[in-house]
Amino acid sequence: MPEPAVRAAAPRGARYAGVAAEEPAPPPPAEDTANLAQDRRAVADTVAVLLRLRAQGRTGEAHVLLCEAAGWPDARRLPVLAEALHRAGLGADWATLLWEVASLPPGRVAGVAATLAAAGLGEDGGQLLRQGVVRPAPELAAALLALDDAGGHESEVRALVDALVRVRTPEDVAQVARTDPHRLSPLLLDAAREVSQSRYRDVVHALRVAGAAP
């Protein structure tokens, strides 16, 4: 009986540098491929239904569908949906969907904004944050503290505090910090310093007046 072929070991040493790199990259895990296919199916189905509803003048049902998409648990579908909507001539529906996302809890808004920015839709993410920070100070403070407690959300925290110090008045920023000055004031001051020295001085003054200076 012939013996089975033995696979030769990969060559080593400086003269063979780069040889291993020429081997084809392993395919993505089957789970990732399945998730991507599922996301694309969900997006395609949503756009198809939306096109039909718009063609039939059923605006109320179309709005409900957009609200459902805004609440998708996996935000990574949204950049794919943005591309599909614009390709289908439904750019106005994407703007409506962003408006609906902005009404979600601030922590969720920050997460979606970070996802959009990572997908090259930074302008949309910035718009979303500007809309999302027009909330009562206790809500914004609770969102920042929850993201910080959860860990691994540094980009969302930075995006939220940056939008906060840019859009809200220094007095509003100070009211957010009052919930937990020890944790929130340094974050807000760092963000204000990135905006300008003038904004930084205004926020410092507002924090002192509110008794929230770090």
Side-chain angles (χ1 to χ4, degrees):
M1 295 291 292
E3 295 184 2
V6 178
R7 182 178 178 181
R12 298 179 180 180
R15 63 181 294 189
Y16 296 108
V19 172
E22 296 177 1
E23 296 183 359
E31 182 180 356
D32 291 346
T33 303
N35 289 338
L36 180 59
Q38 185 178 5
D39 291 344
R40 293 194 177 279
R41 262 196 316 274
V43 166
D45 290 345
T46 298
V47 173
V49 174
L50 195 56
L51 282 169
R52 185 172 69 251
L53 293 174
R54 290 301 186 197
Q56 296 172 356
R58 296 155 65 182
T59 56
E61 294 172 71
H63 187 80
V64 170
L65 185 63
L66 290 171
C67 291
E68 291 175 355
W72 279 345
D74 194 343
R76 68 181 180 183
R77 290 183 179 180
L78 294 179
V80 182
L81 180 59
E83 180 184 358
L85 287 174
H86 283 95
R87 193 166 55 242
L90 298 173
D93 284 322
W94 173 244
T96 300
L97 186 144
L98 285 179
W99 181 263
E100 293 300 330
V101 172
S103 67
L104 297 174
R108 169 70 174 171
V109 172
V112 173
T115 300
L116 294 177
L121 300 174
E123 185 175 344
D124 288 336
Q127 175 189 336
L128 187 58
L129 286 168
R130 289 190 293 273
Q131 294 172 348
V133 295
V134 187
R135 303 288 186 89
E139 285 188 34
L140 295 172
L144 287 170
L145 292 172
L147 289 170
D148 189 49
D149 287 338
H153 296 281
E154 291 80 6
S155 60
E156 289 94 328
V157 170
R158 283 197 303 271
L160 200 54
V161 296
D162 180 72
L164 177 58
V165 298
R166 289 177 184 274
V167 174
R168 303 293 291 268
T169 67
E171 292 73 22
D172 291 339
V173 173
Q175 290 305 310
V176 173
R178 284 187 64 185
T179 302
D180 191 336
H182 179 70
R183 294 171 63 187
L184 295 178
S185 292
L187 289 172
L188 294 165
L189 285 172
D190 287 345
R193 189 183 290 109
E194 291 294 323
V195 174
S196 69
Q197 280 301 311
S198 174
R199 174 60 63 155
Y200 175 73
R201 288 193 298 269
D202 290 343
V203 171
V204 168
H205 176 71
L207 290 175
R208 288 173 178 166
V209 170

